[in-house]
Amino acid sequence: MANISILEPIMLVFLLFLLSYISIANSTPRYTAVDNIPLNCGSVGNLTDGDKRIWIGDMEPSKFAPIEERNQKSVTSEPQSQDSSIEPVPYGTARLSYSQFTYVFPVTSGPKFVRLYFYADSYSGFDESLAFFTVKANNKFTLLRNFSASILANYSGELTRTLSKEFCINVEKDQKLNLTFIPTPSTASSRFFAFVNGIEIVSMPTYLYYSSEENQRRPFDVDQHDQLLIENSTALEMIHRLNMGGSSISPNGDTGMFRAWSQDSPYLLSGGVIPRQPNLELKYTAIPNDTAPDDVYRSAITMGPNITWNLLSNLTWGLPVDPGFNYLVRLHFCEIEPSITMPGQRPFIIYIDNKTAAPMADVIMWSDGRDTPVFQDYVVMIREMRVDQDKSTLFIALHPGKSTNAIYDAILNGAEVFKLSDSNNNLAGPNPSSALLPSPPPAQQPGSTSNSRKTRFIAIGTSVGLFLALLTLLCCVVVWKLRKSKRYGSYYPVSKCWFWSDQNKGKSKRTKASSLPEGLCRQFSLEEIKTATRNFDEELVIGVGGFGKVYRGFVDDGTMLVAIKRLNPESKQGPKEFWKEIEMLSQLRHVHLVSLIGYSNDEREMILVYDYMSNGTLREHLYDTDKDSLPWIQRLEICIGAACGLNYLHTGLKHPIIHRDVKTTNILLDENCVAKVSDFGLSKEGQDDKAVSTMVKGTFGYLDPDYARRRQLTEKSDVYSFGVVLFEVLCARKALNPRLEEEQWNLANWARKCIQNGTMGEIIDLNLLGKLAPNCFKVYVDIAESCVRDQGSQRPTMNDVMDKLSFALQLQKEADVAKEKVNPDGKETYTEVLSFHVSDITETRRCNNIFSGHVSESNSGTWLTSNNTGMTYPSLDSDTVKCEDVFTDTSNVSKA
Ligand SMILES: *[C@@H]1O[C@H](CO)[C@@H](O)[C@H](O)[C@H]1NC(C)=O
Ligand SMILES: *[C@@H]1O[C@H](CO)[C@@H](O)[C@H](O)[C@H]1NC(C)=O
Ligand SMILES: *[C@@H]1O[C@H](CO)[C@@H](O)[C@H](O)[C@H]1NC(C)=O
Ligand SMILES: *[C@@H]1O[C@H](CO)[C@@H](O)[C@H](O)[C@H]1NC(C)=O
Ligand SMILES: *[C@@H]1O[C@H](CO)[C@@H](O)[C@H](O)[C@H]1NC(C)=O
Ligand SMILES: *[C@@H]1O[C@H](CO)[C@@H](O)[C@H](O)[C@H]1NC(C)=O
Ligand SMILES: *[C@@H]1O[C@H](CO)[C@@H](O)[C@H](O)[C@H]1NC(C)=O
Ligand SMILES: *[C@@H]1O[C@H](CO)[C@@H](O)[C@H](O)[C@H]1NC(C)=O
Ligand SMILES: *[C@@H]1O[C@H](CO)[C@@H](O)[C@H](O)[C@H]1NC(C)=O
């Protein structure tokens, strides 16, 4: 009680402070543009628009009067159809010319918004159907080409004939920004002209959309599975800027950059539910507070409470775009539903352009908490499909993800889509040519008011009491955060990994961390790690290697189970490998790779924190174990998963990554027995197709003899090791077992000998006897054998292995179905495989000391359904299993 009475006054002071702070925040925008030039073309002096913003006229003596060709003067005019519903500023007047004219804006260096406003109408002496022109910026970027506002307005389906275009252009030091309007060259029959009603130049923060030194943000390339830079030599065109689930926001409601935000409802293809928290106080601890207006984050679209429905559908938006360009897609998120407080409660998959952009999106994990805005950037190429096609649709789709406490839902608060200039610095697409277009983005008028169509809200309001309670909570959190971690102190944490070096102040290391992608990697304090591992309690050790020990532990107040790898400072894996592993793992996102959650580097410790794989290593399920034997189908699925993961390492990235230590203890199984490849500590990126020559590393029994001889590391070395894994899975035998007769020591060699002698069936796992469909068995043994061939060049690629294993799985499933029909009670087995001689191996097994009571147990069990672990597992029914399929399937797991 005493504590509370002391705390209360402090809280009150804080509350008052915050409240006063909030009212200030509401009245002044978060960002003040250094350059802010709204230019009203065709008028004299200053005019005020509906939002009380002052626009400057471009007619003499204005300092922004355009530069024209000497004998071809432009004229100024008013539109012919005087529509009273049109905002007079900037649409009430225009500048028009049959020859080119240039506006020159003296501005500071850095990125600028350039907005062009057009009213598609005829002006005295100028017929709207003859307005065709090109707009260039700084003689470099083509913003519009042979542009016709009239055609666009005719096809837009909107009643209003006003249009606006927004671009982002970087201005270098000592440069001016100039905009040139060039009429399309006239023909014998027509004389074309150019016109413009309004121009706006507004500065933006350098970190807003471009990647730069101090901004560690790297959009994720959905096609290349890689991190990208948006360099300042790129020009952007805003195509869509949407406030999901909210109303449109006028330029004055923006954070100071006069961006207009529209409603998403015209583009939402599926149903959705709208949570809204209109007064919610947001915590800008993950992104700068001027990224988007608060109202963008205070509303969202979610799927709703019907889990059955959610698992069967996607939350999809279809956004019309020009094909043939790269697009930057920025998705804004903020978890605003009070019941969602922990990572794993609302995980979801993000598809962009029907490709997996994020297999495990989790807003709480990205933002580190509720009410905390965060965004993610993706880049996707929209290809040209047909010659006659001038608009495509970019789909953004969300699908519920899976975790133990998941509510099977997804959320999106806002989205921005930008077209990126191509290699010719062009942003212009063709004029629309058919009436069958999807409706283009609704034109935003500056000065349009925000409250338009407000419908179908399921608003979750907050009463004043709850609001105050939240504020109090916010105070506590703020105080606690400030005290607890210094990493949020100085700079806005665009990237959490950015802050790791604050503790050791190493400058060189800071630059290194700069290559770490945003939001994927979290820093733990040594305290947190010590608490999680009970000060590195030996009882919690789950693995030991040359690098050090791996512990099991809970973080986040016991809510999240993780694997903690503590690197031995004396181990050969030095700081270099440590950073390499962080860098690499945080860039790799794949359902069949173990994900890195974070790291700790306090007091020179090198600690990596991974997802905990509750089902341990693959080896634990094969031999020397008291775990139940894995059914054959499940073994195949695990092998396919691991092959997918390796194939991704080999081919999914710009530089292939060679794992170098593929073995059954580095293939881990999660709670659903989905295989995840782990341990990239020894991995090495392959450079340009050339083989990587280094010291021989790896594990005996799995080591590629070709590599050991020639010291030339290629992806095929991983293929060899994977072949050994395949034999291990089939035979439940160690890769190297010196307790056996010498010729059997090395499993790969022995298996090859057995294959030559036609006795392979004799050394398979006894638990599998009678359960292998003969044709599946044959395909499987073929694959395994081809993987362990002596010469790397004779071995298949991981992609081949993946495909063939999927084929083997299909054969097994077909055979099982056929057998089920004739033999519904499942007693009968595949006799062909049974007919292999078994007598000898039992002997081997005995001296091998591998099996205890398993044989009889599994002999009596019913095959195929003997999945005693009760695990749910993705079904792989499709003909060829590609990694994407596995992605999707994992998400659909546990429909039952
Ligand atoms: C926004 O963030 C900046 C930089 O962190 C800070 O200086 C400013 O006070 C913040 N403004 C508001 C209204 O929170
Ligand atoms: C017009 O506005 C600009 C900037 O807002 C200001 O500098 C200028 O003095 C104004 N001119 C007139 C004639 O009011
Ligand atoms: C643009 O990027 C280049 C290279 O990163 C940099 O040198 C330059 O300063 C940047 N320009 C501006 C205005 O930020
Ligand atoms: C757009 O429609 C208007 C009215 O029907 C027409 O006068 C105009 O010529 C059309 N524009 C073009 C470029 O065809
Ligand atoms: C426009 O800018 C470009 C590049 O800065 C320059 O070469 C050109 O002379 C400028 N044009 C005018 C009319 O100022
Ligand atoms: C949930 O969705 C399923 C599938 O569309 C539907 O059959 C069911 O009636 C829905 N349940 C409720 C309570 O609306
Ligand atoms: C969701 O969208 C993705 C990408 O387009 C697609 O592969 C998947 O089948 C969709 N899922 C459902 C349930 O519609
Ligand atoms: C992409 O997804 C959308 C929406 O689900 C669907 O309509 C479209 O057919 C898909 N396109 C392809 C090529 O699969
Ligand atoms: C300009 O666009 C119009 C309408 O799309 C087209 O008919 C014409 O050929 C184009 N002209 C040039 C020079 O591209």
Side-chain angles (χ1 to χ4, degrees), residues 310-314 316 351 353-355 395 397-399 888 892:
N310 294 355
L311 285 169
L312 290 171
S313 59
N314 282 340
T316 310
Y351 300 103
D353 188 33
N354 301 38
K355 286 170 276 207
F395 292 100
L398 310 179
H399 186 80
T888 339
N892 291 339

Side-chain angles (χ1 to χ4, degrees), residues 479-618:
V479 172
W480 175 74
K481 275 254 162 168
L482 285 177
R483 217 188 287 150
K484 188 156 189 215
S485 65
K486 279 185 180 157
R487 59 196 157 123
Y488 294 110
S490 54
Y491 198 74
Y492 43 82
V494 171
S495 155
K496 285 176 209 156
C497 282
W498 168 252
F499 291 90
W500 68 269
S501 64
D502 282 359
Q503 262 90 358
N504 26 325
K505 301 262 187 288
K507 204 159 186 215
S508 61
K509 280 186 181 171
R510 179 169 215 138
T511 34
K512 219 170 187 184
S514 72
S515 57
L516 294 176
E518 170 217 355
L520 298 171
C521 182
R522 161 175 168 192
Q523 187 193 33
F524 291 89
S525 69
L526 189 57
E527 265 330 293
E528 279 176 281
I529 300 290
K530 280 186 174 163
T531 311
T533 56
R534 300 200 300 250
N535 204 8
F536 303 109
D537 188 341
E538 288 297 311
E539 269 184 33
L540 297 176
V541 171
I542 50 171
V544 185
F547 49 82
K549 287 177 181 158
V550 184
Y551 300 80
R552 175 165 42 97
F554 280 102
V555 292
D556 290 345
D557 304 321
T559 55
M560 192 166 157
L561 187 56
V562 294
I564 295 169
K565 181 165 155 184
R566 184 193 197 188
L567 271 63
N568 187 343
E570 287 96 55
S571 79
K572 273 185 241 137
Q573 179 154 0
K576 231 171 128 189
E577 276 94 348
F578 179 65
W579 289 110
K580 187 161 151 195
E581 183 148 358
I582 292 181
E583 196 178 319
M584 198 155 68
L585 273 176
S586 47
Q587 283 169 21
L588 300 177
R589 297 193 238 173
H590 194 277
V591 70
H592 292 297
L593 298 180
V594 171
S595 2
L596 181 73
I597 297 170
Y599 62 92
S600 177
N601 194 222
D602 293 2
E603 294 170 29
R604 297 225 178 138
E605 285 276 358
M606 294 183 289
I607 291 166
L608 296 169
V609 181
Y610 298 91
D611 262 346
Y612 182 74
M613 295 291 126
S614 54
N615 269 313
T617 68
L618 172 57

Side-chain angles (χ1 to χ4, degrees), residues 132 146 151 184-185 431-432:
F132 282 92
N146 189 32
I151 292 183
T184 294
N431 285 320

